[in-house]
């Protein structure tokens, strides 16, 4: 049985005791901690995008936003940071084809409510082939690394999410099979470009997983998404896959169209051949059920990063609250295969304002400090 940390044990290590346990150096029981990605954009950047500012006007605002976000991330003490997705001018889902000439704006509705009262974003619709990315995420990574002193991870969208660009009725002279071949090649190219640019980790956002469960309770659509992502990952070596993670958020689980049990999605998730997984925990009603499923289905080579802060809740977690969540997760998964993260990004769409920038960074600081406190206790128990 795994080592369990009961509430009585944690009660004996109150705030005073935890402070006295602070080590002079990093504990040997190192628990990695990474962000999911997005941080709310500065108001002036949001206003400029809404106002239809052109590239020349946006460029200095984007540069300033990335520089400020990197500095604020590093000020939290985070050992791994991101650029906060400041330059994804529309959303995290369809940024590679934003403004592409062979798309129309009336595509698939993204089933995630935004921060402006419930209006939903749409994907573009592919009008003709061939499919090509308009931009690759390594450009965001390179911009962030110019200002960063800490390792930078890069979030990208999954090929299965982008597969929804293709119209259900098909396209003349551009069959779906050719589209999928082009899509997988472009996804592979993006990952390789990010790794070559020095990404600490490339995180693939599997946002469409809950959607597949809603649209097709039989699981066939979800299985097809898993297969498509594995087609792409099969192009990488084991060493390369160890630098590729997969994130699935609980955001939008209860969006219109029926609710989905997040925990029931996890067994299929762990069939994807990524080296790391980022799963929601802090905002889940049954966190121990999520942990049991992760323990039973994650493969030995897969590290599980559990969410210890909830971006959907504006209340900032304490470091002690985070610590206790980490200890609970370690009792199921063990410290050696455990990492910590946030349940989701803080602003997946450019105009999200559910939480402010200060709140987001306060939650990041709590995640970093709470993870460190848990590592100290786990080191002492070992």
């Amino acid at each position: 049985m795994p080592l369990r940390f009961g509430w009585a044990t944690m009660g004996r290590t109150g705030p005073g005791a935890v402070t006295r346990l602070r080590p002079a150096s990093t504990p040997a029981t190192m628990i990695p901690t990474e962000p999911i990605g997005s941080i709310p954009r500065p108001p002036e950047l949001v206003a400029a995008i809404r106002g239809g500012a052109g590239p020349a006007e946006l460029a200095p605002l984007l540069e300033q936003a990335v520089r400020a976000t990197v500095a604020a991330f590093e000020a939290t003490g985070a050992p791994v940071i991101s650029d906060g997705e400041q330059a994804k001018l529309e959303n995290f889902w369809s940024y590679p084809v934003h403004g592409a000439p062979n798309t129309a704006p009336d595509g698939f509705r993204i089933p995630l409510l935004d921060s402006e009262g419930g209006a939903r974003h749409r994907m573009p619709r592919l009008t003709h082939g061939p499919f090509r990315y308009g931009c690759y995420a390594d450009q965001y990574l390179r911009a962030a690394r110019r200002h960063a002193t800490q390792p930078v991870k890069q979030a990208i969208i999954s090929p299965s999410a982008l597969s929804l660009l293709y119209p259900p009725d098909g396209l003349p002279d551009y069959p779906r099979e050719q589209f999928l071949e082009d899509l997988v090649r472009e996804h592979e190219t993006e990952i390789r470009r990010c790794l070559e640019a020095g990404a600490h980790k490339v995180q693939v956002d599997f946002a469409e997983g809950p959607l597949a469960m809603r649209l097709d309770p039989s699981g066939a659509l979800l299985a097809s998404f898993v297969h498509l992502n594995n087609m792409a990952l099969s192009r990488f070596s084991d060493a390369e896959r160890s630098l590729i993670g997969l994130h699935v958020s609980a955001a939008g689980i209860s969006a219109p169209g029926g609710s989905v049990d997040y925990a029931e999605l996890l067994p299929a998730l762990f069939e994807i051949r990524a080296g790391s997984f980022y799963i929601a925990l802090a905002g889940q009603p049954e966190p121990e059920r999520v942990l049991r499923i992760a323990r039973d289905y994650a493969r030995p080579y897969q590290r599980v990063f559990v969410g210890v802060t909830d971006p959907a809740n504006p209340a900032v977690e304490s470091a002690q609250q985070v610590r206790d969540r980490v200890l609970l997760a370690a009792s199921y998964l063990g410290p050696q295969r455990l990492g910590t993260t946030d349940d989701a990004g803080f602003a997946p769409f450019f105009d999200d304002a559910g939480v402010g920038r200060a709140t987001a960074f306060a939650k990041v600081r709590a995640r970093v400090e709470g993870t460190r406190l848990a590592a100290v206790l786990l080191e002492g128990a070992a």
Side-chain angles (χ1 to χ4, degrees):
M1 293 293 291
L3 180 63
R4 300 300 299 268
F5 295 86
W7 291 111
T9 300
M10 287 188 279
R12 290 197 298 270
T13 57
V18 169
T19 301
R20 289 193 294 273
L21 283 169
R22 186 185 300 271
S25 59
T26 302
T29 306
M30 185 63 176
I31 300 175
T33 186
E34 299 178 8
I36 291 301
S38 59
I39 294 290
R41 283 71 166 172
E44 57 272 20
L45 176 58
V46 173
I49 297 172
R50 284 177 173 165
E57 185 179 351
L58 285 176
L61 293 174
L62 288 170
E63 172 74 12
Q64 181 180 355
V66 171
R67 184 189 302 111
T69 301
V70 166
F73 245 127
E74 294 194 341
T76 67
V80 177
I81 67 168
S82 80
D83 71 341
E85 302 188 9
Q86 302 297 287
K88 289 182 179 176
L89 297 183
E90 186 177 41
N91 60 64
F92 75 105
W93 194 306
S94 54
Y95 69 89
V97 293
H98 179 59
N102 60 339
T103 62
D106 60 345
F108 172 76
R109 288 187 180 274
I110 299 175
L112 298 175
L113 301 182
D114 70 15
S115 59
E116 296 298 311
R120 283 179 287 174
H121 293 262
R122 297 189 80 136
M123 292 184 71
R125 172 178 54 85
L126 194 68
T127 58
H128 61 274
F131 173 79
R132 298 288 185 270
Y133 278 19
C135 74
Y136 300 97
D138 66 294
Q139 72 181 52
Y140 310 131
L141 175 65
R142 294 176 192 277
R145 293 195 71 210
R146 287 199 293 268
H147 306 292
T149 61
Q150 295 287 73
V152 182
K153 72 180 292 187
Q154 181 59 53
I156 66 173
I157 193 60
S158 68
S160 49
L162 288 177
S163 71
L164 297 169
L165 287 162
Y166 193 83
D169 296 334
L171 291 172
D173 302 320
Y174 192 55
R176 182 175 179 82
E177 292 75 14
Q178 183 61 54
F179 163 73
L180 293 178
E181 181 179 330
D182 292 342
L183 171 60
V184 169
R185 185 197 61 250
E186 290 291 85
H187 179 71
E188 177 193 4
T189 298
E190 182 171 50
I191 291 179
R192 293 199 182 280
R193 288 176 62 135
C194 289
L195 292 176
E196 290 167 2
H200 170 78
K201 192 83 65 68
V202 178
Q203 173 192 293
V204 179
D205 287 327
F206 186 52
E208 67 285 6
L211 167 70
M213 294 182 68
R214 275 204 303 275
L215 294 179
D216 179 12
S218 75
L221 180 59
L222 178 60
S224 72
F225 284 169
V226 169
H227 175 69
L228 181 57
N229 288 310
N230 277 334
M231 282 177 56
L233 288 168
S234 69
R235 300 186 174 203
F236 296 91
S237 67
D238 290 345
E240 290 167 334
R241 282 195 292 270
S242 72
L243 300 175
I244 302 171
L246 192 120
H247 169 243
V248 60
S249 170
I253 287 287
S254 298
S259 61
V260 169
D261 186 336
Y262 180 77
E264 290 186 0
L265 173 64
L266 298 181
L269 178 74
F270 288 113
E271 293 179 13
I272 298 175
R273 298 178 62 193
S276 297
F277 288 82
Y278 304 84
I279 65 173
L281 186 71
Q284 288 300 293
E286 298 179 274
E288 293 200 53
R289 178 166 170 255
V290 171
L291 289 169
R292 283 194 299 271
I293 293 173
R295 177 196 63 197
D296 294 343
Y297 284 90
R299 302 179 186 190
Y301 64 86
Q302 294 171 336
R303 184 179 289 273
V304 181
F305 287 76
V306 299
V308 291
T309 65
D310 181 7
N313 185 346
V316 177
E317 293 83 357
S318 68
Q320 289 72 29
Q321 186 178 7
V322 169
R323 174 202 65 194
D324 292 350
R325 287 172 176 167
V326 179
L327 293 176
L328 177 65
S331 73
Y332 282 90
L333 297 167
Q336 292 73 28
R337 63 189 308 199
L338 180 64
T340 66
T341 188
D342 311 300
D343 271 8
F346 290 94
F349 299 98
F350 82 89
D351 56 354
D352 280 339
V355 299
R357 281 172 68 88
T359 298
F361 286 120
K363 284 175 171 281
V364 170
R365 189 175 296 107
R367 167 170 57 78
V368 171
E369 177 64 7
T371 301
R372 188 194 65 79
L373 293 177
V376 171
L377 293 178
L378 290 169
E379 175 75 3

